[in-house]
Amino acid sequence: MAVSTCPKAFSSSSSFECRSDPDFTGFPCHEKPASARFRMRVDPSASARGSHGLSSLILRFPPNFVRQLSTKARRNCSNIGVAQIVAASWSNNSSSGVPAVPAASAATTAAVPVAPVEEGASGDDVVVPGNGGLPPVDEGFPALKESSFLSSDGSLTIHAGERLGRGIVTDAITTPVVNTSAYFFKKTADLIDFKEKRAVSFEYGRYGNPTTVVAEEKISALEGAESTMIVASGMCASTLLFMALVPAGGHIVTTTDCYRKTRIFIETILPKMGISATVIDPADVGALEAALDKNKVSLFFTESPTNPFLRCVDIELVSKLCHSKGALVCIDGTFATPINQKALALGADLVVHSATKYIGGHNDVLAGCISGPLKLISEIRNLHHIMGGALNPNAAYLIIRGMKTLHLRVQQQNSTASRMAEILEAHPKVAHVYYPGLKSHPEHELAKRQMTGFGGVVSFDIDGDLHTTIKFVDALKIPYIAPSFGGCESIVDQPAIMSYWDLSESERLKYGIKDNLVRFSFGVEDFEDVKKDILQALDCI
């Protein structure tokens, strides 16, 4: 664990003590101490206490500790602080159910010496060693999905992975950011205990981080998944999944309408690994059955709804067909969100999200995630540890923060998109609207069965050519012309230009991308403002 820094602010008689109650009183403060030493002790009865797998051990801070931190010290301190680092190791060993560590590691309860403050040292900082014994959350703490008192997605997005399941002991409501690239062991015997699985710990930043684990647990709870792996981007998640689960000589079935970069990877990169693919229409069940009969299919991978035409796949039906032939099913649910659709509950083996979109929700972070059974996620995670693509803990914090309003944002975006889809469908300057909430959508009845909301993206054809559509897009005042979707701000793009401009018009048409196609991602702005803006832009053409 990275070290933390604190300014010299206490006399030689001052100390930090690990206590079982948050008593912040009784600590003297001196402006110019000669030295200071932090002394950590554990209440012997602490192991007999604890609630829901969490110890109440916290650090006793002097009442004006935060005010005494210098600017430089605050900059250097990770949010986790000394208290959480030290107490996490003790509480995990004493009350979380982790197997007792042999004598080689038993020294965690001993006093930990710290270099005294040097008078006049640059920056007025004293270095305090952390502890490398923070275990993954699911090793020592019950996941919130096992609890019964939260029944709604809204509550899960706020509390999952944190209220009962966080592996960072702290009295902070928000999850701390653990900014470290590696975690240390106090002595070689501790490292051997870890390697021989007698002790749990983080080891290297690419293999795990306490902040990232909270984000994974939160997504698992929302998806009803046994395990989740979160990585640096949605494409990172998809490509890892393909390489980990499809062997050389294997076969993938995917659908015509999908994110272009995913299709490029399937069509150009996987063949170099000896992996072939069949591409079918999202609703063509007969084509899927034929592909399963003709090939030894390892994986059926599709989006539902798809990008950009929002086609829907019968997840329950395709899962039954694929499982009968020994093939796995993975659904990219980015457009649906975990709020609107539960792919795993419908029978899929895995669900993928570009967490950059709705899950993060603020157009400020890149991330991707895969959720499913622990056995499958572990296979993918093993490759992830080799390939890299780890999510930065600061990005994980943004994902956690974004998820706490996920249900509220999605409700607003569902509502605005549904109402605007109806208005656009009735407008004389709109040729066609693609939205699963409309009766005209080819999979409307299917979407009603397997979704609780139809999402915040509406695609539509302007009644005109490329330049007429450009005029409409440029006349809009609220949405940004940008890639991506699912954030608080509305975003609009013309796929022929944004995603397919390197292809000729005839090549674009092979994928159904017409010059007059618009993809509109509704944010959380007021409906009347968005409606007025779209209507005035249509009046301009």
Side-chain angles (χ1 to χ4, degrees):
M1 180 65 68
V3 298
S4 300
T5 57
C6 300
K8 59 175 188 177
F10 309 103
S11 69
S12 58
S13 63
S14 300
S15 66
F16 280 157
E17 298 182 10
C18 208
R19 299 291 192 189
S20 61
D21 61 295
D23 181 4
F24 297 97
T25 62
F27 283 83
C29 174
H30 301 278
E31 292 186 359
K32 286 190 172 288
S35 65
R37 185 173 297 271
F38 294 166
R39 189 169 68 251
M40 284 78 78
R41 295 197 297 268
V42 178
D43 186 335
S45 63
S47 61
R49 296 194 298 270
S51 174
H52 304 289
L54 286 174
S55 169
S56 59
L57 291 173
I58 75 164
L59 195 65
R60 289 182 58 168
F61 286 104
N64 58 350
F65 174 75
V66 174
R67 291 196 299 274
Q68 294 163 354
L69 287 177
S70 67
T71 301
K72 179 178 178 181
R74 282 195 296 271
R75 223 173 24 238
N76 292 338
C77 278
S78 76
N79 289 2
I80 187 170
V82 181
Q84 299 93 293
I85 297 172
V86 176
S89 169
W90 293 330
S91 63
N92 291 336
N93 288 334
S94 65
S95 64
S96 64
V98 177
V101 181
S105 302
T108 55
T109 59
V112 181
V114 179
V117 176
E118 296 182 9
E119 197 62 60
S122 176
D124 290 341
D125 294 339
V126 57
V127 177
V128 182
N131 183 283
L134 287 170
V137 167
D138 55 5
E139 292 286 349
F141 298 95
L144 192 57
K145 62 179 178 285
E146 297 174 356
S147 301
S148 60
F149 70 96
L150 295 180
S151 58
S152 71
D153 286 342
S155 297
L156 287 174
T157 58
I158 296 168
H159 293 299
E162 295 181 284
R163 191 75 165 120
L164 294 183
R166 186 163 65 194
I168 305 173
V169 178
T170 171
D171 57 357
I173 292 176
T174 57
T175 293
V177 180
V178 183
N179 278 317
T180 185
S181 59
Y183 308 83
F184 74 79
F185 297 84
K186 291 195 297 260
K187 54 184 181 295
T188 303
D190 293 349
L191 174 59
I192 293 173
D193 287 342
F194 166 70
K195 291 294 184 180
E196 295 184 354
K197 303 187 185 304
R198 291 189 296 270
V200 290
S201 174
F202 290 99
E203 179 186 8
Y204 186 56
R206 197 170 77 244
Y207 306 150
N209 177 281
T211 310
T212 302
V213 167
V214 171
E216 292 174 337
E217 287 297 308
K218 193 176 288 290
I219 294 169
S220 288
L222 198 56
E223 286 288 7
E226 193 175 7
S227 182
T228 291
M229 184 182 76
I230 192 164
V231 293
S233 71
M235 275 304 299
C236 181
S238 297
T239 55
L240 279 170
L241 181 147
F242 294 143
M243 291 189 290
L245 299 182
V246 183
H251 193 84
I252 289 178
V253 178
T254 189
T255 53
T256 51
D257 192 30
C258 69
Y259 179 52
R260 187 185 176 197
K261 293 298 189 294
T262 305
R263 182 168 56 241
I264 288 173
F265 187 84
I266 291 174
E267 293 177 346
T268 65
I269 306 300
L270 289 182
K272 298 177 182 179
M273 304 176 190
I275 298 171
S276 56
T278 296
V279 183
I280 64 173
D281 183 89
D284 194 342
V285 176
L288 174 60
E289 291 177 310
L292 290 168
D293 290 336
K294 182 179 179 181
N295 307 281
K296 184 173 176 56
V297 177
S298 303
L299 176 70
F300 175 58
F301 179 91
T302 186
E303 302 164 6
S304 188
T306 60
N307 180 21
F309 295 110
L310 304 166
R311 299 290 302 277
C312 296
V313 174
D314 191 331
I315 300 172
E316 186 174 7
L317 177 59
V318 300
S319 296
K320 289 178 180 177
L321 292 173
C322 290
H323 293 161
S324 69
K325 297 291 186 176
L328 297 172
V329 174
C330 179
I331 301 296
D332 184 331
T334 302
F335 273 82
T337 80
I339 300 295
N340 288 331
Q341 180 175 275
K342 307 292 187 185
L344 300 180
L346 291 166
D349 299 287
L350 297 160
V351 59
V352 169
H353 290 279
S354 171
T356 306
K357 312 302 192 293
Y358 289 100
I359 289 177
H362 290 76
N363 291 318
D364 60 2
V365 63
L366 290 172
C369 60
I370 313 170
S371 301
L374 179 61
K375 181 180 179 181
L376 292 178
I377 299 300
S378 295
E379 289 185 48
I380 303 168
R381 195 183 294 275
N382 287 338
L383 179 62
H384 167 56
H385 289 171
I386 297 170
M387 298 295 292
L391 186 71
N392 184 281
N394 295 280
Y397 177 87
L398 292 176
I399 295 295
I400 294 166
R401 180 217 56 185
M403 285 191 70
K404 295 189 180 187
T405 58
L406 176 61
H407 61 299
L408 301 174
R409 290 185 281 105
V410 168
Q411 288 169 13
Q412 173 72 5
Q413 290 161 315
N414 285 346
S415 174
T416 299
S418 294
R419 295 164 72 183
M420 280 309 310
E422 294 178 355
I423 292 170
L424 288 166
E425 189 172 46
H427 200 284
K429 294 183 180 179
V430 175
H432 190 82
V433 179
Y434 309 90
Y435 187 68
L438 295 175
K439 293 180 180 179
S440 58
H441 190 279
E443 287 88 46
H444 174 64
E445 292 302 321
L446 169 63
K448 282 170 56 179
R449 291 201 310 270
Q450 68 183 23
M451 301 178 73
T452 56
F454 302 114
V457 175
V458 178
S459 296
F460 53 95
D461 296 331
I462 293 293
D463 188 11
D465 59 9
L466 178 73
H467 296 288
T468 303
T469 308
I470 290 173
K471 188 176 181 180
F472 163 74
V473 170
D474 288 348
L476 291 164
K477 295 179 172 61
I478 290 178
Y480 292 93
I481 301 173
S484 199
F485 57 91
C488 292
E489 300 87 357
S490 289
I491 285 178
V492 66
D493 78 84
Q494 203 169 340
I497 299 174
M498 183 66 72
S499 303
Y500 291 85
W501 194 242
D502 58 312
L503 302 181
S504 67
E505 182 178 359
S506 60
E507 289 174 319
R508 293 196 294 266
L509 286 173
K510 291 178 183 177
Y511 301 107
I513 306 298
K514 295 181 286 186
D515 288 346
N516 61 342
L517 176 65
V518 173
R519 191 184 72 174
F520 201 115
S521 170
F522 291 96
V524 296
E525 301 95 346
D526 180 78
F527 169 76
E528 292 298 331
D529 287 339
V530 176
K531 172 185 172 183
K532 186 186 300 183
D533 187 34
I534 292 176
L535 292 179
Q536 68 80 25
L538 288 170
D539 288 342
C540 292
I541 61 176

